[in-house]
Amino acid sequence: MKIILFGATGDAGSAALRAAVARGHQVTAVSRQPQALAGLSPLVTPQPLDLMADPQAAAEAARGHDLAISALRPPAGREADLVPLTRAALDAARLAGIPVLVTGGAATLKLADGSGYTVLSAPGFLPESVRPIAEACAAQDALLEAETETEWTCLRPPALLTEGPQTGRYRFGTDTLVTDADGASQISFADFGAALLDLAEHPRGSRQRLTVAWGAPAPALAAG
């Protein structure tokens, strides 16, 4: 496939890029810091672009690709930028006539305890330090819910995204946190990137919000 990846130098974007290259896909890697992508692989074409500054350029860059992946995340203090960034990625994919995979957040996922609370609404579940990005992710979900013109799929992480191995031992879900046998809801960036490429290669239908997490503790974490 020929993929355009927005946010290619972020944590989730870097993981998706590594997974795409490992599977032999050609990737146009969009970033405001393309120098970080230089010499990575012959399959990777760095593309300097700031979606907030020039959304029209994003649409032009997306043309000729089979799929867009939006792994965009704003820096701390600019969490509200997530919605316009996602809007720019959706518009770019729509104008290019291609589907887009969007990395979302866990904010609106229900807890696995049956309480009906979500990650964002559950009392005491979220540290105050991450509440701004969680609220931005909830707004991103609302944006996607209202989007009827672009063919999108959103993959939301579990409660914890962490550094760790690529295990391949993850499970997909829909609107509830996926947990392992110990009740933990977590996944490594490496496995999250692999799961994104699973959806790129084997779509599950458009305008769906999914989630993914380890189905068993990762060996490195279990050993600790």
Side-chain angles (χ1 to χ4, degrees):
M1 298 175 68
K2 190 173 182 183
I3 299 169
I4 185 166
L5 172 58
F6 298 113
T9 52
D11 290 330
S14 295
L17 180 59
R18 289 191 295 270
V21 169
R23 300 184 190 197
H25 300 297
Q26 297 179 51
V27 183
T28 299
V30 177
S31 173
R32 290 180 299 174
Q33 301 172 324
Q35 65 276 12
L37 302 165
L40 185 63
S41 166
L43 293 172
V44 176
T45 302
Q47 174 73 54
L49 183 62
D50 185 337
L51 270 72
M52 291 288 284
D54 195 352
Q56 182 58 38
E60 294 171 0
R63 291 190 175 94
H65 292 80
D66 301 307
L67 172 76
I69 296 177
S70 173
L72 297 160
R73 273 294 178 274
R78 295 182 57 183
E79 289 84 359
D81 286 350
L82 181 61
V83 167
L85 283 169
T86 304
R87 177 75 269 166
L90 290 170
D91 289 346
R94 175 178 55 81
L95 292 170
I98 58 175
V100 57
L101 275 173
V102 178
T103 59
T108 60
L109 290 171
K110 296 176 184 176
L111 302 191
D113 60 7
S115 65
Y117 283 117
T118 66
V119 167
L120 183 58
S121 69
F125 189 86
L126 281 179
E128 285 303 311
S129 61
V130 302
R131 184 164 290 275
I133 190 60
E135 291 173 346
C137 289
Q140 180 190 48
D141 267 6
L143 172 68
L144 292 170
E145 188 70 24
E147 176 56 47
T148 59
E149 295 185 23
T150 308
E151 186 181 337
W152 60 265
T153 301
C154 180
L155 184 63
R156 298 172 288 183
L160 180 63
L161 255 175
T162 183
E163 297 297 334
Q166 183 175 335
T167 70
R169 299 188 301 174
Y170 46 81
R171 294 188 293 113
F172 287 95
T174 52
D175 62 354
T176 300
L177 286 174
V178 174
T179 59
D180 63 25
D182 295 329
S185 178
Q186 56 190 348
I187 198 170
S188 64
F189 285 107
D191 272 335
F192 188 76
L196 275 169
L197 266 292
D198 289 348
L199 293 177
E201 295 171 342
H202 305 287
R204 298 191 174 198
S206 64
R207 302 190 182 100
Q208 291 192 59
R209 284 175 293 178
L210 304 171
T211 186
V212 66
W214 281 326
L221 295 184

